[in-house]
């Protein structure tokens, strides 16, 4: 019995939207599958890793029947991707049959009742925000999220809703970035850490379009994002997130300021990084005379020096940073120029940009 009939691309697109959630090495075998639910012309595809699930809908159903089944997400995506352009028919039964042109395939069908579907809690705080704007802000600060840190609450991004303002914060303990944006129809207050994997998936799924809105809801231990025909639901990370207001320095109190072309600084840093040490990847930054001099050295007595011209206002200063962190900071924004502020060699530096007055990127110094 045919449950799906669609042109290959129309089937592949929704499959790819949900495939990213499926873990490479699932702890529970069932979450390696995609749940397929047909209700007449509407087909719902759903995947989960127990902590998070993504659901999307597409008008690709065949017939008027209501059918539900599950099969390997990876195999189905790879199979549909490998098919030539043209119509694809999927039939449900004891096995899942895929037909395209003269090709025929049979995949294992798993009982849909065994699929672990997350229940969605009633939100206590909600807001709406343009999809393109949220996507851009997430990508702007996601680079400072921790990766597999023992301080589990750092392995994600902090969302703080107060009034109509949403504050986003990410830190790994060595650097911190923050941005704010105005929301619509905000109700309630929220302060939750959204897992790193959710942020990564949102970066892939959210459209770069401010005309499409995202509805966000927070419950006590859950977050949901709804946009277009897609819904993402996830558990949040419970933990005491650092007081970011104490970490971010006040820009008007910083005595040294440099404005430099972002592309010039980025290219110089990447060239210098080639000869940075494998373990101690430190760049020495010397500021003065309208320029920033970058110097690195490694254990093989190799070294590199770069000079980046800019507008410097302040006393001569030499300060050290992890060069990879500076590259990440400069690469996370798209402005033509960045502004860097400093106090002294032992205090954090602050990077800002004109395009987003709320954006702050804090870099902790490294001893030279």
């Amino acid at each position: 019995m045919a449950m799906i009939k669609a042109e290959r691309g129309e089937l592949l697109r929704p499959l790819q939207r949900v495939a990213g959630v499926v873990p490479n090495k699932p702890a529970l075998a069932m979450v390696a599958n995609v749940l397929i639910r047909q209700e007449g012309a509407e087909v719902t595809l759903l995947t989960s890793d127990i902590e998070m699930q993504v659901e999307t809908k597409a008008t690709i159903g065949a017939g008027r029947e209501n059918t539900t089944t599950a099969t390997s997400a990876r195999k189905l995506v790879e199979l549909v991707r490998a098919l030539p352009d043209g119509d694809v028919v999927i039939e449900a039964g004891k096995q899942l049959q895929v037909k395209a042109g003269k090709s025929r395939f049979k995949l294992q069908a798993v009982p849909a009742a065994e699929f672990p579907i997350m229940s969605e809690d009633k939100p206590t705080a909600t807001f709406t925000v343009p999809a393109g704007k949220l996507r851009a802000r997430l990508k702007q600060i996601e680079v400072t999220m921790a990766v597999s840190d023992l301080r589990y609450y750092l392995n994600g991004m902090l969302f703080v809703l107060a009034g109509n303002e949403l504050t986003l914060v990410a830190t790994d303990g060595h650097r911190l970035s923050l941005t704010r944006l105005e929301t619509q129809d905000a109700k309630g207050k929220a302060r939750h850490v959204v897992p790193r994997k959710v942020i990564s998936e949102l970066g892939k799924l959210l459209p770069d379009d401010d005309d499409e809105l995202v509805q966000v809801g927070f419950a006590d231990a859950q977050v949901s994002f709804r946009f277009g025909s897609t819904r993402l639901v996830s558990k949040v990370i419970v933990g005491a997130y650092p007081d970011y207001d104490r970490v971010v320095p006040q820009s008007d109190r910083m005595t040294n300021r440099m404005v430099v072309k972002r592309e010039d600084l980025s290219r110089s840093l990447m060239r210098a990084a080639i000869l940075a040490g494998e373990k101690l990847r430190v760049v020495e930054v010397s500021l003065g005379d309208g320029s920033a001099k970058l110097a690195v050295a490694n254990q093989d007595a190799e070294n590199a020096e770069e000079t980046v011209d800019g507008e410097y206002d302040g006393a001569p200063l030499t300060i050290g940073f992890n060069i990879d962190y500076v590259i990440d900071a400069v690469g996370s924004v798209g402005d033509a120029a960045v502004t860097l502020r400093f106090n002294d060699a032992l205090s954090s530096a602050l990077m800002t940009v004109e395009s987003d007055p709320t954006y702050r990127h804090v870099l902790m110094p490294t001893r030279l």
Side-chain angles (χ1 to χ4, degrees):
M1 181 185 300
M3 64 183 304
I4 291 176
K5 182 177 182 180
E7 195 275 328
R8 169 186 164 276
E10 293 178 351
L11 174 58
L12 182 60
R13 280 188 291 273
L15 278 172
Q16 289 178 323
R17 290 183 71 79
V18 300
V21 176
V22 180
N24 292 326
K25 297 179 180 180
L28 184 64
M30 195 64 192
V31 299
N33 298 300
V34 55
L35 182 72
I36 307 171
R37 183 188 300 122
Q38 179 221 355
E39 296 174 320
E42 184 176 80
V43 172
T44 301
L45 303 174
L46 187 148
T47 55
S48 171
D49 68 356
I50 303 300
E51 302 288 324
M52 167 177 65
Q53 74 179 26
V54 174
E55 174 185 317
T56 193
K57 299 179 185 295
T59 309
I60 54 176
R64 300 179 180 179
E65 302 295 328
N66 294 341
T67 309
T68 305
T69 189
T71 193
S72 167
R74 179 185 61 81
K75 291 177 181 177
L76 185 58
V77 170
E78 290 183 359
L79 181 57
V80 175
R81 185 186 291 125
L83 291 173
D85 291 337
D87 285 343
V88 180
V89 176
I90 294 181
E91 297 179 353
K94 292 183 178 180
Q95 291 181 302
L96 195 77
Q97 297 189 52
V98 181
K99 301 178 180 180
K102 297 181 179 180
S103 301
R104 299 290 184 271
F105 308 90
K106 290 184 178 181
L107 303 179
Q108 181 182 19
V110 182
E114 298 178 10
F115 196 90
I117 299 177
M118 292 177 63
S119 59
E120 190 169 348
D121 299 336
K122 184 178 180 180
T124 56
T126 59
F127 63 89
T128 302
V129 67
K133 193 165 293 184
L134 178 60
R135 180 179 183 272
R137 298 300 175 86
L138 295 178
K139 285 188 168 293
Q140 188 170 259
I141 71 169
E142 66 179 356
V143 69
T144 56
M145 287 188 296
V147 181
S148 302
D149 198 294
L150 292 177
R151 297 164 294 179
Y152 55 89
Y153 48 83
L154 298 184
N155 300 318
M157 186 179 295
L158 178 66
F159 282 57
V160 180
L161 178 66
N164 281 322
E165 184 177 75
L166 175 66
T167 301
L168 303 171
V169 188
T171 182
D172 60 5
H174 303 285
R175 49 195 173 154
L176 178 147
S177 52
L178 173 153
T179 186
R180 294 183 169 93
L181 66 160
E182 289 297 311
T183 67
Q184 304 170 23
D185 305 321
K187 296 178 182 179
K189 295 181 179 180
R191 183 186 176 93
H192 294 288
V193 180
V194 177
R196 180 186 181 89
K197 186 175 179 179
V198 174
I199 302 300
S200 176
E201 284 303 307
L202 287 172
K204 303 171 189 174
L205 297 174
L206 285 172
D208 189 13
D209 182 3
D210 284 343
D211 290 332
E212 185 165 334
L213 298 178
V214 184
Q215 294 177 316
V216 184
F218 282 100
D220 289 340
Q222 195 180 78
V223 62
S224 63
F225 298 85
R226 297 170 181 263
F227 47 95
S229 59
T230 300
R231 179 178 64 173
L232 186 155
V233 180
S234 172
K235 296 179 181 178
V236 296
I237 299 174
V238 179
Y241 203 82
D243 184 356
Y244 56 88
D245 283 327
R246 295 180 60 184
V247 176
V248 180
Q250 298 296 317
S251 60
D252 57 355
R253 298 180 182 178
M254 304 186 80
T255 55
N256 306 297
R257 172 179 174 273
M258 184 169 195
V259 180
V260 62
K261 291 182 179 178
R262 186 188 64 83
E263 193 66 27
D264 290 349
L265 179 58
S266 177
R267 289 177 178 175
S268 292
L269 286 165
M270 287 191 286
R271 287 193 294 265
I274 296 171
L275 296 184
E278 293 181 6
K279 293 183 179 179
L280 299 176
R281 296 185 58 77
V282 178
V283 57
E284 179 184 279
V285 182
S286 299
L287 301 163
D289 299 326
S291 67
K293 295 181 179 179
L294 314 177
V296 301
N298 61 30
Q299 63 275 12
D300 297 321
E302 299 171 326
N303 62 76
E305 294 183 356
E306 290 272 353
T307 299
V308 185
D309 294 329
E311 300 175 11
Y312 182 63
D313 180 17
L317 174 67
T318 298
I319 188 170
F321 297 104
N322 179 305
I323 193 168
D324 297 316
Y325 292 169
V326 186
I327 291 173
D328 286 344
V330 175
S332 65
V333 296
D335 291 53
V338 296
T339 299
L340 297 163
R341 291 179 171 85
F342 312 85
N343 274 328
D344 53 56
L346 301 179
S347 302
S348 298
L350 179 67
M351 188 183 83
T352 59
V353 293
E354 286 190 1
S355 66
D356 178 7
T358 70
Y359 174 69
R360 300 288 185 270
H361 193 115
V362 182
L363 288 165
M364 316 302 180
T366 300
R367 290 186 179 273
L368 295 171

